């Protein structure tokens, strides 16, 4: 048996074995071993272009699927089946999860942006989140690199708009149901050329850290997916022996800390998100 890491196993499966049957289009062709596994495993064939790994799709008439490429290795089929099954998982993000815990004190700004990013991610459908897990695993296997988790701290400055100081003021409004609440609005009186009564300034990041936060979320989802695949595949392979990885969930910190994890959809809805994770 060949001793191999999960990264090497995935690259071997998705670069050399699972494209078989797809001719020159490889994985992108609906007749490839991978697309067949996807269709049978979760009933949906997604566009491979979203992975950003297909350089030139060539013709799209799929007339070349007959090219003789042989059958994919049994272990590769097993890998593909378990990778496709990741679409049935959901990502559990524990309460207190802070993707920017290595940044200097930001007076709550980092936590605010992390909360917003988590909220946006949670608004994706379960199907989109599941497909995203599979895309991460397949895309990184093909490209041969892990998701980018580098996030240089953004500078803090007083808020500006169009290069001018930004002012804010709280305004009480009443909705159509008669409910009153306060909202933050533009606080500069353009006619009087001065801040409105009660207006204030506040701090903001000089650059939006949203992309960095999502990059670190993707990284942790990827690590969680690899750990799940390691566990599922350990006893199923016939010609390969897995060496379990000690990859950190938080390489941006001095020590490995817990992060997100994957749960079956049926179980994910019952998980109580109370853990505090930095």
């Amino acid at each position: 048996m060949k001793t191999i890491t999960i990264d090497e196993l995935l690259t071997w499966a998705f670069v050399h074995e699972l494209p078989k049957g797809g001719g020159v289009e490889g994985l992108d062709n609906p007749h490839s071993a991978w697309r067949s596994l996807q269709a049978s495993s979760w009933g949906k064939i997604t566009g491979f272009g979203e992975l950003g790994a297909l350089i030139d799709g060539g013709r799209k008439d799929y007339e070349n699927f007959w090219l003789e490429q042989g059958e994919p290795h049994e272990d590769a089929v097993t890998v593909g089946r378990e990778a496709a099954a990741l679409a049935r998982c959901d990502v559990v993000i524990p309460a207190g999860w802070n993707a920017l815990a290595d940044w200097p004190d930001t007076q709550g700004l980092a936590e605010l942006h992390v909360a917003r990013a988590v909220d946006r991610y949670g608004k994706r459908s379960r199907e989109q989140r599941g497909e995203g897990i599979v895309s991460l695993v397949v895309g990184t296997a093909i490209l041969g690199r892990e998701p980018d988790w580098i996030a240089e701290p953004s500078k803090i400055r007083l808020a500006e708009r169009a290069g001018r100081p930004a002012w804010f003021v709280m305004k009480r409004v009443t909705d159509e149901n008669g409910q009153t609440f306060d909202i933050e609005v533009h606080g500069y009186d353009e006619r009087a050329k001065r801040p409105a009564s009660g207006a204030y300034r506040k701090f903001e990041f000089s650059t939006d850290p949203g992309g960095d936060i999502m990059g670190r979320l993707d990284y942790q989802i990827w690590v969680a997916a690899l750990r799940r695949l390691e566990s599922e595949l350990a006893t199923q392979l016939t010609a390969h022996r897995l060496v379990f990885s000690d990859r950190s969930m938080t390489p941006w910190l001095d020590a490995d800390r817990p992060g997100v994890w994957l749960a079956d959809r049926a179980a994910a809805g019952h998980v109580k998100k109370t853990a505090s994770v930095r």
Side-chain angles (χ1 to χ4, degrees), residues 28-258:
D28 194 43
N29 192 297
H31 300 286
S32 69
W34 167 236
R35 290 305 184 187
S36 297
L37 282 170
Q38 279 190 304
S40 61
S41 295
W42 45 286
K44 182 176 176 61
I45 299 178
T46 57
F48 187 65
E50 69 190 35
L51 301 177
L54 192 62
I55 304 302
D56 183 5
R59 296 183 307 157
K60 292 301 179 182
D61 54 12
Y62 302 115
E63 291 178 355
N64 60 54
F65 73 92
W66 54 268
L67 293 177
E68 180 57 45
Q69 296 174 301
E71 294 294 325
H73 192 284
E74 179 183 349
D75 280 356
V77 173
T78 301
V79 170
R81 185 178 298 113
E82 292 299 335
L86 292 171
R88 298 195 296 267
C89 295
D90 205 353
V91 178
V92 180
I93 304 176
W97 183 77
N98 186 0
L100 304 178
D102 58 319
W103 285 22
D105 183 24
T106 62
Q107 304 297 318
L109 277 177
E111 290 80 0
L112 176 63
H113 280 269
V114 169
R116 288 175 178 171
V118 170
D119 181 63
R120 288 195 301 270
Y121 180 78
K123 289 179 179 177
R124 299 179 187 176
S125 69
R126 286 190 173 185
E127 289 72 22
Q128 288 175 323
R129 295 196 297 267
E131 291 169 15
I133 300 170
V134 178
S135 294
L136 270 174
V137 169
V138 179
T140 53
I142 294 171
L143 296 174
R145 62 172 182 260
E146 64 185 34
D148 183 14
W149 50 265
I150 301 299
E152 294 296 332
S154 179
K155 295 181 180 180
I156 299 176
R157 67 181 185 189
L158 282 169
E160 296 180 353
R161 297 295 180 268
R164 299 169 54 191
W167 293 86
F168 307 88
V169 68
M170 297 303 295
K171 179 180 180 181
R172 176 153 295 185
V173 297
T174 303
D175 63 18
E176 58 185 13
N177 297 319
Q179 299 292 322
T180 60
F181 52 92
D182 294 329
I183 61 172
E184 188 177 68
V185 297
H186 181 54
Y188 189 80
D189 189 331
E190 299 292 348
R191 178 176 297 178
K193 302 298 181 183
R194 64 187 180 193
S197 176
Y200 55 87
R201 297 196 67 191
K202 61 182 183 181
F203 290 96
E204 66 177 7
F205 284 127
S206 58
T207 56
D208 185 357
D212 292 333
I213 296 168
M214 294 308 299
R216 289 185 169 180
L217 177 58
D218 280 346
Y219 173 83
Q220 290 201 346
I221 293 172
W222 176 69
V223 173
L226 295 194
R227 291 178 179 179
R228 184 182 180 97
L229 288 174
E230 285 178 333
S231 176
E232 295 294 332
L233 292 168
T235 60
Q236 296 189 57
L237 304 176
T238 60
H240 298 83
R241 179 186 296 108
L242 275 177
V243 176
F244 283 76
S245 170
D246 59 355
R247 180 181 285 105
S248 173
M249 183 67 77
T250 53
W252 49 88
L253 299 178
D254 293 335
D256 187 18
R257 301 285 184 85

